[in-house]
Amino acid sequence: MTVKTTVSSKDIDEAFLNLKDVAKETPLQKDHYLSHKYDCNVYLKREDLQWVRSFKLRGAYNAIIALNEKDRQNGITCASAGNHAQGVAYTASKLNLTAVIFMPVTTPLQKINQVKFFGGSNVEVVLTGDTFDECLKEALTYTQDYAMNFIDPFNNIYTIAGQGTLAKEIIEQSKEDDIHFDYLFAAIGGGGLISGVGTYFKDHSKDTSIVGVEPAGASSMYESVVVENKIVTLENIEKFVDGASVARVGEITYDIAQKVVDEYVQVDEGAVCSTILDMYSKQAIIAEPAGALSVSALEQYKSKIKGKNVVCIVSGGNNDINRMKEIEERSLLFEEMKHYFILNFPQRPGALREFVNDVLGPKDDITKFEYLKKSSQNTGTVIIGIQLNNHSDLDNLKANVTEFDPSNIYINENKMLYSLLI
C-alpha cells in the first residue's frame, strides 16, 4: 500500500467536515490600527479565539479522528511546546481517549495548566527535555514501548489538512465582503500551518503571496528550503518563541513548503515582543510570541504591502502573564531604549549626583543600580541600567559614560554577562 505524503484541497475540505462541530469558526477582522499604520488593509484571522486559543485543535482532532477505533482505544501520545498538546488533550477528553502528552521542561506553566484543564482525567503530562526536539525523542520512545499512537504536531498529512481548514474559512469569509488578499502571513514552526494554509490558497487564490514567518533564532524552514536545499537540524535555537522554535522541520512539511511558500522572513525575538505589547495596548489582543509573528513581519514588508489587502494569522493567544516582564524587557532592548553598563564609581559624596547630571539626558531614567561601598578602595563597581527617552540618544549616552569611566563594560553586547547579571 502506498503511504500518502502530501495534502490536497480535497483533504482539507474533508477535514473541514470532520471539524464542523468541533473547531470554532474564528473571526476574520479588519484591524484599523494596523491598516492605518501600514497604509493598507490588514485583516487578522483570530485563531487566538479558538476553543484552545490556538489553531492546533484543528490538526490534532483531524489526525486523531483519522485513526481506526482500535488504534484510538490503544491510547495516543504527542510531543508539544503547548498548543498542539492542548488540541490533543481537548480531543482526548471529547472522545474519551487515554493520552500521554510530553512537553519540554521550559514550557510556560500557563500552557501546562491548560493542557491539564482541557484533558482532565484522560491526560497524563510528562515534562522532559529543554527543547521540543529532546521532548520529541522521549515521546517517540514511549510510544513504541507501549504500542500507542503518536499524533505528530506537524509532520502528518491529517494534521496538515486540519490546519488547512483555517485557509478555507479565510477564503469563504473574505468572499462575503468581496476581498481578495495580496499577501498572507503565517508563522512557521515545524511547518504544519503554512503547509495546510499554503496548499489551499494555491488552489483557490493562486496570486496571493504566501509569506512564512519564523523567529530569527529558530529559522529551520528557511535554512532548509532556501539556504541548504535539504532538511537541516539547527544546532542551537532561541527558545523564546516557544510555539515556533523547532530545530528540524518535518519531511512532509518541507516538501510542501517548497511548493507553496513564496517568501520567507525572519523576525528578531525582540521585535516580536514589541508587537505583543503593541497588540495588547492598541488592539486589546493577547497574543503569544508565535501568535504575534505574522504581525511582526509587516514592518519588514511595509513598502511592499502599501495599498494592498493583507491577512495575518494570529495563531495563538496562550501567553503566560508572568512572562510580560520579560517581554517588556526584550522589547526595550530591541528598541534600543534600555542599556546596561558596568562602571567604576568614585567612592566619594556627590558621585551619583555628578553621574546623573553629566551622563544622563533630562528625561532618561535609572532602572537598575547595584553598588556596594567598600571603605578600603577609592572606587566601587556598579551595575547600572538606563532607560532612554529616545533611542537616538544612545551614541551620546555611550560617549558620556566613556568620559565618566573609560574602562566601562557595555553589558547589552555581552549575552553571557547579561544573562548572569541582569
Side-chain angles (χ1 to χ4, degrees):
M1 183 178 70
T2 302
V3 177
K4 189 175 179 183
T5 58
T6 191
V7 174
S8 67
S9 288
K10 182 180 178 182
D11 297 321
I12 294 171
D13 287 332
E14 291 175 358
F16 187 80
L17 293 176
N18 290 338
L19 290 163
K20 187 175 182 182
D21 297 320
V22 178
K24 179 192 295 186
E25 180 180 330
T26 54
L28 178 67
Q29 300 173 338
K30 183 172 182 179
D31 190 287
H32 296 284
Y33 166 70
L34 292 172
S35 297
H36 176 75
K37 181 177 182 180
Y38 294 109
D39 193 17
C40 62
N41 299 307
V42 178
Y43 290 78
L44 302 180
K45 179 59 173 170
R46 298 290 306 278
E47 281 297 291
D48 58 305
L49 299 177
Q50 190 55 258
W51 299 121
V52 298
R53 296 201 294 194
S54 89
F55 71 96
K56 289 286 191 174
L57 171 60
R58 299 172 183 267
Y61 186 88
N62 195 55
I64 293 169
I65 207 72
L67 297 171
N68 63 49
E69 185 62 29
K70 181 181 178 182
D71 285 341
R72 269 186 256 160
Q73 293 308 317
N74 285 341
I76 54 179
T77 64
C78 77
S80 169
N83 288 340
H84 178 62
Q86 291 181 52
V88 171
Y90 184 96
T91 303
S93 178
K94 188 173 184 65
L95 300 178
N96 195 27
L97 306 176
T98 298
V100 181
I101 294 176
F102 292 78
M103 306 179 76
V105 176
T106 52
T107 303
L109 182 62
Q110 186 266 352
K111 289 188 177 182
I112 296 170
N113 289 337
Q114 286 295 97
V115 169
K116 294 178 179 178
F117 169 75
F118 287 121
S121 60
N122 294 77
V123 168
E124 176 188 354
V125 175
V126 178
L127 300 178
T128 181
D130 290 331
T131 66
F132 167 78
D133 300 273
E134 292 173 3
C135 174
L136 173 62
K137 185 178 179 180
E138 292 292 327
L140 292 175
T141 299
Y142 184 94
T143 304
Q144 185 174 9
D145 289 346
Y146 290 91
M148 299 175 78
N149 297 275
F150 183 74
I151 308 301
D152 199 287
F154 48 81
N155 199 43
N156 178 308
I157 62 167
Y158 298 103
T159 303
I160 295 168
Q163 320 303 27
T165 61
L166 197 157
K168 182 177 175 67
E169 284 185 12
I170 292 175
I171 288 174
E172 291 185 352
Q173 290 168 327
S174 62
K175 284 180 179 177
E176 295 174 6
D177 297 319
D178 196 26
I179 303 166
H180 172 78
F181 289 113
D182 300 291
Y183 286 90
L184 179 142
F185 291 84
I188 299 180
L193 175 63
I194 201 78
S195 295
V197 169
T199 294
Y200 204 81
F201 261 81
K202 287 306 175 186
D203 282 347
H204 297 273
S205 185
K206 296 181 187 297
D207 54 349
T208 299
S209 291
I210 307 299
V211 183
V213 190
E214 294 178 284
S219 54
S220 51
M221 188 67 84
Y222 171 78
E223 292 293 329
S224 297
V225 174
V226 179
V227 179
E228 298 292 340
N229 198 30
K230 64 179 181 180
I231 298 177
V232 297
T233 302
L234 303 182
E235 292 185 8
N236 299 295
I237 62 172
E238 164 64 65
K239 304 168 197 170
F240 175 76
V241 185
D242 49 289
S245 296
V246 176
R248 184 181 177 88
V249 300
E251 290 81 4
I252 298 174
T253 56
Y254 169 79
D255 288 340
I256 297 175
Q258 285 183 304
K259 302 168 187 171
V260 303
V261 180
D262 297 301
E263 300 177 48
Y264 293 88
V265 60
Q266 297 78 50
V267 179
D268 187 280
E269 284 75 8
V272 175
C273 292
S274 295
T275 300
I276 291 171
L277 296 175
D278 204 36
M279 292 175 73
Y280 176 72
S281 62
K282 301 291 198 311
Q283 301 133 294
I285 296 174
I286 302 175
E288 63 182 273
L293 266 176
S294 62
V295 177
S296 298
L298 296 181
E299 188 65 24
Q300 296 185 44
Y301 272 74
K302 57 187 177 183
S303 61
K304 291 184 178 181
I305 62 177
K306 187 174 181 179
K308 305 292 186 181
N309 291 327
V310 176
V311 58
C312 295
I313 298 173
V314 183
S315 58
N318 287 301
N319 203 354
D320 190 340
I321 193 68
N322 294 318
R323 301 182 77 189
M324 293 305 288
K325 192 70 177 175
E326 179 190 4
I327 289 170
E328 181 182 15
E329 175 79 0
R330 281 176 173 263
S331 172
L332 288 169
L333 290 172
F334 173 76
E335 302 288 346
E336 296 187 335
M337 296 292 287
K338 205 168 194 179
H339 306 274
Y340 295 93
F341 300 86
I342 298 176
L343 303 172
N344 289 309
F345 232 78
Q347 290 199 147
R348 57 175 171 75
L352 178 58
R353 184 182 301 109
E354 179 183 315
F355 179 88
V356 171
N357 291 337
D358 295 346
V359 175
L360 299 188
K363 294 185 179 180
D364 297 339
D365 189 23
I366 294 176
T367 60
K368 184 181 183 71
F369 191 88
E370 291 186 8
Y371 172 60
L372 180 62
K373 186 173 182 178
K374 298 178 180 179
S375 58
S376 61
Q377 298 180 12
N378 293 325
T379 61
T381 302
V382 172
I383 301 171
I384 190 165
I386 299 168
Q387 186 166 327
L388 296 175
N389 181 60
N390 191 317
H391 70 87
S392 63
D393 294 334
L394 176 57
D395 289 341
N396 190 52
L397 173 67
K398 284 183 174 180
N400 290 344
V401 169
T402 299
E403 185 175 346
F404 184 85
D405 175 20
S407 63
N408 76 86
I409 299 173
Y410 182 45
I411 301 178
N412 289 48
E413 295 176 344
N414 190 316
K415 288 187 176 181
M416 187 176 292
L417 269 182
Y418 178 85
S419 298
L420 176 66
L421 300 175
I422 310 300

